């Protein structure tokens, strides 16, 4: 099997399912119990996904063979200065972790970012998202001081010069 990663509408059926699985995992880890369908719906309602489309961003979906297996979003953040964007909603379904898809996913988002003229890609994450922090570090993201406090759940901030 091989990986392919390409831009896709954030509201396509596969993208919606991946965003839902992403939110299910991060919420369940945070609450240390399975998230309910209602909690997932509430979390996705008004989550800013509409920014994950041109001209304010992009969404990419990774497929392992024919299976939608990963996703990531890019949001342009002009308020942080020109040439800066945020990486968000990075997710690889558990059964596909360790197959190399995470690195390909990041590379695809970085390529999308470069096409927008982005020179600095940033993100925030939590302590319990250990796999994500390892993925970012492995692919050249360095931990930096907090660059915002919009996300009350953020505990680690990373950045990468493109």
């Amino acid at each position: 099997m091989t990986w392919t990663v390409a831009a896709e509408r954030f509201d396509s059926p596969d993208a919606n399912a991946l965003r839902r699985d992403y939110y299910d995992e991060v919420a369940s880890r945070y609450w240390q119990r399975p998230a309910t369908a209602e909690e997932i719906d509430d979390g996705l309602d008004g989550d800013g996904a509409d920014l994950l489309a041109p001209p304010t961003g992009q969404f990419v979906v990774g497929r392992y063979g024919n299976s939608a297996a990963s996703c990531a979003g890019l949001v342009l953040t002009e308020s942080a200065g020109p040439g800066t964007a945020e990486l968000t909603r990075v997710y690889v379904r558990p059964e596909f972790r360790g197959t190399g898809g995470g690195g390909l996913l990041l590379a695809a988002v970085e390529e999308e970012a470069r096409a927008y003229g982005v020179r600095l890609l940033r993100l925030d994450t939590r302590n319990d998202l250990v796999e994500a922090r390892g993925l970012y570090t492995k692919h050249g993201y360095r931990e930096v001081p907090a660059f915002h406090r919009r996300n009350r759940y953020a505990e680690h901030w990373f950045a990468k010069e493109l």
Side-chain angles (χ1 to χ4, degrees):
M1 293 275 185
T2 60
W3 278 95
T4 56
V5 182
E8 188 166 321
R9 286 193 50 88
F10 68 90
D11 57 357
S12 75
D14 283 340
N16 271 332
L18 285 160
R19 288 189 314 108
R20 187 171 189 81
D21 287 354
Y22 159 83
Y23 193 83
D24 183 10
E25 182 166 339
V26 298
S28 295
R29 282 190 187 203
Y30 182 78
W31 292 322
Q32 299 179 348
R33 62 161 174 81
T36 67
E38 183 178 319
E39 289 168 334
I40 295 167
D41 290 342
D42 287 347
L44 292 171
D45 184 38
D47 71 342
D50 56 317
L51 295 174
L52 302 173
T56 56
Q58 191 60 268
F59 196 72
V60 298
V61 170
R63 288 183 167 72
Y64 190 67
N66 292 324
S67 299
S70 65
C71 64
L74 172 73
V75 178
L76 303 179
T77 54
E78 290 302 317
S79 62
T84 301
E86 288 192 25
L87 179 62
T88 185
R89 294 170 185 83
V90 177
Y91 178 69
V92 178
R93 286 186 165 140
E95 64 268 30
F96 299 103
R97 293 177 186 162
T99 62
L104 294 172
L105 187 68
L106 292 178
V109 172
E110 291 166 8
E111 190 60 32
E112 294 287 342
R114 286 184 190 95
Y116 279 105
V118 172
R119 294 180 311 277
L120 180 68
L121 197 52
R122 322 184 300 184
L123 65 101
D124 60 53
T125 192
R126 299 189 327 235
N127 283 331
D128 60 332
L129 301 176
V130 177
E131 302 91 340
R133 292 192 346 256
L135 176 69
Y136 304 137
T137 300
K138 179 179 179 180
H139 292 280
Y141 290 79
R142 59 182 171 70
E143 198 150 359
V144 297
F147 48 80
H148 67 65
R149 294 285 180 188
R150 286 191 320 260
N151 180 353
R152 66 183 175 139
Y153 303 107
E155 297 167 309
H156 296 270
W157 292 261
F158 288 84
K160 182 177 181 178
E161 297 280 340
L162 300 181

